[in-house]
Every structure is written in structure tokens, then in C-alpha cells.
Amino acid sequence: MKKQMFPGIVLVGFGLYFFLQKFTIPVPAAVFSWPTILLIVGVALLIQAYRGGDFQLIVPGVLLVGLGIHFHLAQQWNIQFDLIGVIILFLALGFFLAAKKTKSSAIYSWIFVSVALIQLFNSNLFSFLRLTPEQIGSFQSLWPIILIIIGSYLFFFKKK
């Protein structure tokens, strides 16, 4: 039987957030921003996943925690990464952790890692591979179609 901890954890997290905001407890001002809300909900999902046995919550939990950390770092140090690549990378990490916990295949994780790396580092990748502008244009035109084909195969034909 799965124990429902998520609502309680979220309420405790929000309570701490508002408590720290209300009283003059010395914490960095950046804590009182919307990425902290992502962190609170993400941590609550991960605790529910690992302690409550709801392993399907690992992926969204990792995604929210990762995005909360990413946005805090981006605000603090002005880090500029392609957001779509970052989201895909956190999804890949979530799939890795879920596969480890459920002892299932990590093939989806590797697919998402590949897509994230191409998205995040495509300009460096193209120069490293010494591709011509025409070849780059061809790849960028085919890239969405390749993703649609792989996703359709996994959705319609891959059973397990």
C-alpha cells in the first residue's frame, strides 16, 4: 500500500517558505523566488516516489528539482543554456533513476541523453564533425522527422 506523503510534504515546504519570508531569518533573497516553488514540489514528488513507492513520480520530480536548480543558477550566475536541452537532460536523468529503481531498461534514458546533447551542443558538435553548412541544414531539417519516427515507433509498436 502506497503512503500518500506528497500533500503533507508540499504543505510543510510551503509553510517553511512563508515562515522564512515572514520573519527576519537571514537567508539569501534569491530563495524567495519562483524556482524555489519548483524545488519544493519536485522534492515532495521525489520523497513520495522513493518513500511512498510511487516510482512513476521520479521523472517529474527530477525534472522539477532540476529546473528549480537551473533557474536559481541562471539567476545567480547568469548561466545561459538552451532551456529545451536542459529540460530534455533532466528528463533523461529522471528516466535513468526510474529505470534503476524499477530495474527496467535504460534505453529511453540514452535516447533522451542523445537528444539533449545534440540540442545543447549542436554548434560545437557540427564544427567537431566538420560538417558543411549544407549538411548542417539537411540534418536540422531531418532532425524533427527523426524524433517523430522514433517517438511513433515507441508509442505504437514497442510494447515493453
Side-chain angles (χ1 to χ4, degrees):
M1 181 173 189
K2 296 177 183 176
K3 185 176 178 186
Q4 292 298 319
M5 295 181 270
F6 178 75
I9 296 166
V10 169
L11 290 174
V12 168
F14 286 167
L16 286 171
Y17 178 85
F18 294 125
F19 180 82
L20 291 173
Q21 197 174 36
K22 183 88 171 151
F23 297 99
T24 56
I25 297 173
V27 293
V31 169
F32 303 114
S33 61
W34 63 270
T36 302
I37 302 301
L38 293 177
L39 283 168
I40 291 169
V41 175
V43 166
L45 286 171
L46 288 174
I47 291 171
Q48 179 65 43
Y50 283 99
R51 300 279 310 257
D54 289 331
F55 301 131
Q56 71 272 10
L57 297 177
I58 292 173
V59 174
V62 169
L63 179 62
L64 290 176
V65 167
L67 287 175
I69 291 170
H70 168 75
F71 288 122
H72 269 298
L73 293 176
Q75 287 175 354
Q76 194 74 10
W77 291 301
N78 198 20
I79 297 172
Q80 299 299 322
F81 276 116
D82 176 49
L83 183 58
I84 294 173
V86 169
I87 289 170
I88 295 170
L89 192 60
F90 286 126
L91 284 172
L93 176 60
F95 280 119
F96 271 121
L97 293 173
K100 181 175 169 59
K101 193 65 180 172
T102 61
K103 296 177 178 45
S104 61
S105 172
I107 187 68
Y108 304 121
S109 310
W110 290 111
I111 292 170
F112 277 89
V113 165
S114 302
V115 172
L117 292 176
I118 290 170
Q119 183 67 30
L120 287 169
F121 303 109
N122 64 14
S123 59
N124 295 339
L125 178 66
F126 292 144
S127 64
F128 174 76
L129 296 174
R130 302 188 196 288
L131 296 176
T132 65
E134 295 82 22
Q135 292 170 321
I136 294 169
S138 296
F139 176 77
Q140 288 177 336
S141 297
L142 288 175
W143 177 240
I145 295 169
I146 293 168
L147 292 178
I148 290 169
I149 290 169
I150 293 170
S152 297
Y153 170 76
L154 293 173
F155 183 75
F156 290 112
F157 302 109
K158 184 96 169 143
K159 298 296 179 201
K160 187 109 171 126

